[in-house]
Amino acid sequence: MDVGNPDALILPVPPEPFALIVGAAMQGGSSEAVETALRRMGLRPERVEGEGGGADVAARVAAPRFRLTFGAVSVLAGPAAGAALDLADPDHPSTSLLAASLPRRWRESGACWVFIPERDPRSDGVPGASTVQPTRMREFFKMMVLLIDLFDASHIFWSPARLWSDAPQFRASIAEMLASGMPPVLHLVAFRRRENGADASMGTRGLVLFAGQELEARIPVGWTVAEMVRRLSRLALDMMLNGPVQHARTMRGLEAGEWIELLPPLRSTDHRSTVIVEFGRDS
């Protein structure tokens, strides 16, 4: 793993849309009241009429639709439409939940808002744009903290990992990341168990956004899901802070006599972006 600028590694690319379950105080309010609240929070709302932002955005964001701006970051925001609600369906097999139980009526009109970051065309092909990107990502996460507070959100859906979690816990973890640089792995990366015939494995989802790679490991006989998450989250944090795995390596595990082998993709012949992890113990 390579060591470099921690901010550039933790926040390398614009994140995908995210959604919030809106608190009762913001549900059912008029669009004027919502706009006033957004303006008081310093998010400079602008009304987006018709299919502003494109048909794809209109399919995911219902009216009233706003463009919110914080620093160099802008997002399109509004009540979640059908396509966004389908993506965030907690009952879908590909959706994960982190100690979160959603309200029964979470799909009702106005209960869930979606936020879609807009790409900044000014950074395309501009020399030095990569040095500006970490600042934009910090501003994006700061905006998320403000939105969780403003909407009194109970839950948040982080779409890169297809992961629902408790919004106040997510907010606290993001605030800690912005202060210390330590990313909240469990809130940004999903850990998924997979059955592979006679064997079982566990892989990450959403890690590629921060490290350019995912992890996958066979579950050793007798190991629990919690034991696997503990070990893979440690590896994921290392990759978020220090970059992707560049070379095959063997390292010591969490317990005495335990070892971990990491096998990265073979760049010349392998198009996958998954690091294969093997756990073992000394005989």
Side-chain angles (χ1 to χ4, degrees):
M1 302 179 191
D2 295 336
V3 178
N5 179 352
D7 281 347
L9 294 168
I10 296 173
L11 309 173
V13 295
E16 298 179 31
F18 68 96
L20 297 177
I21 299 295
V22 180
M26 289 289 283
Q27 287 187 34
S30 67
S31 59
E32 290 75 16
V34 172
E35 182 174 0
T36 298
L38 290 167
R39 197 173 306 283
R40 286 175 178 169
M41 191 60 80
L43 297 176
R44 295 182 283 167
E46 300 175 17
R47 292 289 186 114
V48 178
E49 305 295 342
E51 288 194 356
D56 179 60
V57 169
R60 291 185 287 172
V61 187
R65 195 178 307 124
F66 300 96
R67 175 174 285 107
L68 309 181
T69 305
F70 183 82
V73 175
S74 66
V75 302
L76 294 174
L85 294 172
D86 292 341
L87 174 68
D89 186 354
D91 294 326
H92 194 282
S94 64
T95 302
S96 300
L97 290 90
L98 178 64
S101 179
L102 272 62
R104 286 190 305 168
R105 299 180 177 178
W106 74 277
R107 288 188 70 116
E108 290 192 355
S109 177
C112 183
W113 273 51
V114 65
F115 303 84
I116 303 178
E118 292 186 291
R119 183 177 57 83
D120 185 358
R122 296 172 301 176
S123 64
D124 291 349
V126 177
S130 61
T131 62
V132 176
Q133 189 73 339
T135 299
R136 292 189 69 240
M137 293 303 95
R138 278 189 168 273
E139 290 175 344
F140 174 79
F141 279 104
K142 288 178 181 178
M143 177 187 280
M144 291 180 68
V145 170
L146 292 176
L147 289 168
I148 289 172
D149 287 345
L150 174 63
F151 284 92
D152 189 26
S154 61
H155 298 78
I156 182 168
F157 179 74
W158 179 243
S159 60
R162 290 187 61 94
L163 177 64
W164 278 107
S165 58
D166 178 84
Q169 291 182 13
F170 186 97
R171 181 212 183 281
S173 297
I174 291 298
E176 175 61 26
M177 180 186 76
L178 294 171
S180 68
M182 296 297 288
V185 177
L186 295 180
H187 286 91
L188 298 174
V189 178
F191 296 86
R192 304 273 297 176
R193 178 187 171 96
R194 303 183 180 97
E195 300 296 336
N196 306 314
D199 296 325
S201 67
M202 177 169 287
T204 62
R205 184 174 56 210
L207 179 60
V208 68
L209 180 70
F210 301 95
Q213 295 171 334
E214 300 286 1
L215 292 168
E216 184 168 355
R218 182 182 59 84
I219 302 176
V221 176
W223 283 29
T224 66
V225 169
E227 288 174 318
M228 288 294 294
V229 170
R230 183 179 169 214
R231 287 161 173 80
L232 288 180
S233 62
R234 175 194 175 207
L235 294 173
L237 177 60
D238 196 0
M239 293 166 65
M240 290 169 113
L241 291 173
N242 298 317
V245 178
Q246 303 286 2
H247 308 286
R249 60 180 298 191
T250 301
M251 55 195 291
R252 282 187 296 218
L254 289 178
E255 299 180 358
E258 181 182 318
W259 50 264
I260 304 171
E261 185 176 11
L262 302 176
L263 182 63
L266 301 176
R267 294 186 181 183
S268 59
T269 60
D270 199 341
H271 298 291
R272 63 184 169 87
S273 60
T274 300
V275 176
I276 302 301
V277 184
E278 185 71 26
F279 296 103
R281 294 185 183 276
D282 294 335
S283 302

